[in-house]
């Protein structure tokens, strides 16, 4: 908890247009502590999406609550229509995930939140710097959660995370929860765990912070190359008016995904499938409520193709031409 932690918190809060930020040791811990600070626990349900990294469901479950999995739309994000159908009295919070770095349909989600008077906690782990209609990811819900693990676009050289909010009471509660539920070195007011952000990671993130907009711009330029060079057979992620993606991954879609993947592998091109098994299909969550018709279909079509800031135009052309030659 060196001074770099507080310095980074201030910068991230301001960047997201929020009053407060609490640095924590991971994105998973950010989600867990955010839910704990709202008093979510046993007997409660938390509505989220079917398609995310498993951390989203685990954070819900480990508060004692049960996740409810809404279906997704074409943008791979939570479908507000599905979420609205699944909402019920036991649902005490909604966690939209800004998947692949695209901000979810927050108008729809905030509508449900208002109707049922339940808080929104954003899983913005993949979306640092993304925005929708001028509002940054992490600034829509009562709490916004980020991961700065080395895979993310704004990344440390180890585990790190952050929670942002405008509410002083939540901020103070989370600061206590981050420190084993201690209000000082003597007095514990609630059982919790060590969730502190390491000073070294905070220092590294402070160094990288001024570059983040440039980093996203570089990624966006690569997206432009892909858009120009990829054949019409593959479905590309759309960036609609008002959307500014954080471009965490470049996820294309095709019903011939598996054959394309082996073809690319033979050409020396690594691809990934995120996440082949939906959260609701994982053993601990099989009996949870939910809808996943679209998610089951889309997850068979998604493919993350090479995407990072050091790709050259020729690299992108090689990938795109290989995909083209597969289809021809
Ligand atoms: C990375 C990620 C997390 C978890 O973050 P960690 O820092 O790895 O704990 C949670 N949700 C999503 C959507 C993520 O991509």
């Amino acid at each position: 908890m060196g001074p770099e932690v507080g310095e980074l918190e201030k910068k991230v809060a301001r960047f997201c247009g929020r009053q407060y930020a609490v640095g924590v040791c991971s994105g998973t811990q950010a989600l867990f502590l955010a839910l704990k600070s709202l008093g979510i626990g046993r007997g409660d349900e938390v509505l989220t999406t079917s398609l995310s990294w498993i951390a989203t469901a685990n954070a819900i479950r480990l508060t004692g609550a049960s996740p409810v999995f809404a279906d997704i739309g074409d943008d791979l994000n939570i479908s507000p229509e599905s979420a609205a159908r699944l909402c019920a009295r036991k649902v005490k919070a909604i966690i939209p995930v800004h998947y692949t770095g695209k901000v979810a349909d927050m108008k729809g989600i905030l509508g449900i939140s208002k109707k049922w008077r339940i808080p929104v906690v954003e899983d913005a782990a993949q979306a640092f710097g993304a925005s929708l209609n001028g509002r940054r990811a992490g600034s829509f819900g009562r709490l916004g959660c980020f991961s700065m693990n080395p895979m993310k676009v704004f990344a440390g050289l180890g585990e790190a995370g952050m929670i942002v909010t405008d509410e002083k009471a939540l901020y103070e509660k989370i600061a206590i929860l981050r420190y084993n539920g201690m209000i000082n070195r003597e007095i514990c007011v609630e059982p919790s765990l060590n969730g502190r952000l390491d000073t070294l990671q905070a220092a590294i993130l402070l160094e990288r912070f001024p570059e983040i907009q440039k980093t996203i711009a570089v990624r966006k330029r690569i997206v432009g190359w892909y858009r120009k060079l990829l054949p019409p057979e593959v479905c590309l992620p759309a960036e609609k008016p008002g959307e500014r993606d954080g471009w965490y991954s470049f996820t294309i879609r095709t019903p011939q995904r598996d054959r394309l993947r082996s073809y690319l592998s033979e050409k020396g091109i690594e691809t990934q499938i995120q996440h082949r098994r939906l959260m609701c299909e994982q053993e601990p969550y099989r009996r949870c409520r939910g809808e996943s018709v679209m998610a089951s279909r889309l997850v068979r079509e998604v493919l993350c193709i090479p995407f990072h800031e050091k790709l050259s135009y020729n690299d992108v052309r090689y990938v795109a031409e290989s995909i083209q030659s597969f289809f021809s």
Side-chain angles (χ1 to χ4, degrees):
M1 294 297 291
E4 288 83 357
V5 174
E7 223 179 295
L8 180 69
E9 288 171 344
K10 279 207 190 78
K11 289 204 165 146
V12 168
R14 197 175 316 133
F15 181 83
C16 296
R18 305 227 79 163
Q19 294 294 316
Y20 306 101
V22 187
V24 291
C25 59
S26 71
T28 311
Q29 188 72 240
L31 289 166
F32 176 69
L33 295 184
L35 292 171
K36 287 263 289 177
S37 75
L38 293 167
I40 306 282
R42 196 170 306 161
D44 297 336
E45 287 184 334
V46 176
L47 194 48
T48 190
T49 174
S50 300
L51 181 62
S52 179
W53 169 232
I54 195 70
T56 315
N58 288 345
I60 295 168
R61 174 60 103 212
L62 286 174
T63 64
S66 289
V68 176
F69 300 105
D71 210 347
I72 59 173
D74 259 345
D75 59 356
L76 305 180
N77 272 332
I78 187 168
S79 149
E81 292 74 31
S82 173
R85 276 194 297 274
L86 290 164
C87 222
R89 264 221 311 282
K90 279 173 84 176
V91 173
K92 294 291 156 59
I94 313 180
I95 305 187
V97 177
H98 305 317
Y99 200 63
T100 71
K102 175 184 289 299
V103 177
D105 177 351
M106 291 313 293
K107 192 161 170 250
I109 295 302
L110 290 170
I112 298 167
S113 154
K114 199 167 167 201
K115 179 173 170 207
W116 291 85
R117 298 178 181 204
I118 50 174
V120 170
V121 175
E122 295 170 72
D123 182 343
Q126 303 185 355
F128 193 88
S131 65
L132 177 63
N133 300 324
R135 271 177 82 177
R136 285 249 158 82
S139 72
F140 292 89
R142 281 183 69 188
L143 295 150
C145 300
F146 294 99
S147 164
M148 285 94 171
N149 87 24
M151 279 181 72
K152 311 302 189 204
V153 178
F154 180 41
L157 296 177
E159 309 293 338
M162 190 77 68
I163 305 165
V164 294
T165 184
D166 284 334
E167 294 172 49
K168 191 159 189 249
L170 288 179
Y171 163 71
E172 285 169 349
K173 179 120 191 244
I174 292 165
I176 292 166
L177 291 171
R178 170 176 67 174
Y179 186 44
N180 272 278
M182 304 286 287
I183 52 169
N184 54 37
R185 287 185 179 207
E186 304 291 332
I187 297 161
C188 178
V189 292
E190 187 174 345
S192 190
L193 296 169
N194 174 10
R196 285 175 295 186
L197 171 60
D198 187 72
T199 304
L200 198 54
Q201 294 312 324
I204 287 157
L205 287 162
L206 270 177
E207 281 295 312
R208 289 183 164 180
F209 182 79
E211 301 292 312
I212 182 64
Q213 312 246 44
K214 210 161 81 194
T215 305
I216 295 170
V218 169
R219 296 172 82 91
K220 195 167 166 140
R221 188 168 77 216
I222 295 167
V223 170
W225 296 340
Y226 270 136
R227 283 203 198 290
K228 198 176 81 182
L229 297 170
L230 282 169
E233 284 88 348
V234 292
C235 181
L236 305 181
E239 211 175 7
K240 299 200 198 89
E243 295 178 352
R244 295 190 72 148
D245 291 8
W247 295 113
Y248 169 68
S249 65
F250 194 73
T251 303
I252 63 170
R253 272 171 35 216
T254 165
Q256 305 191 60
R257 192 266 314 274
D258 291 333
R259 287 206 305 122
L260 173 62
R261 187 166 193 230
S262 350
Y263 182 84
L264 293 176
S265 169
E266 278 165 30
K267 299 230 164 215
I269 298 168
E270 184 189 12
T271 58
Q272 294 288 339
I273 299 165
Q274 279 174 344
H275 295 277
R276 193 189 288 274
R277 189 175 290 196
L278 298 174
M279 294 192 294
C280 54
E281 294 167 345
Q282 298 284 3
E283 176 51 31
Y285 302 114
R286 289 232 176 102
R287 282 176 298 280
C288 293
R289 295 203 294 130
E291 296 180 353
S292 57
V293 176
M294 274 291 273
S296 306
R297 204 194 90 206
L298 294 177
V299 84
R300 286 197 296 268
E301 301 185 355
V302 291
L303 189 66
C304 303
I305 61 175
F307 191 50
H308 57 79
E309 294 110 59
K310 296 192 177 79
L311 283 175
S312 68
Y313 185 77
N314 280 340
D315 294 333
V316 169
R317 195 167 61 189
Y318 179 67
V319 174
E321 283 175 0
S322 300
I323 292 174
Q324 225 166 50
S325 76
F326 169 81
F327 283 104
S328 55

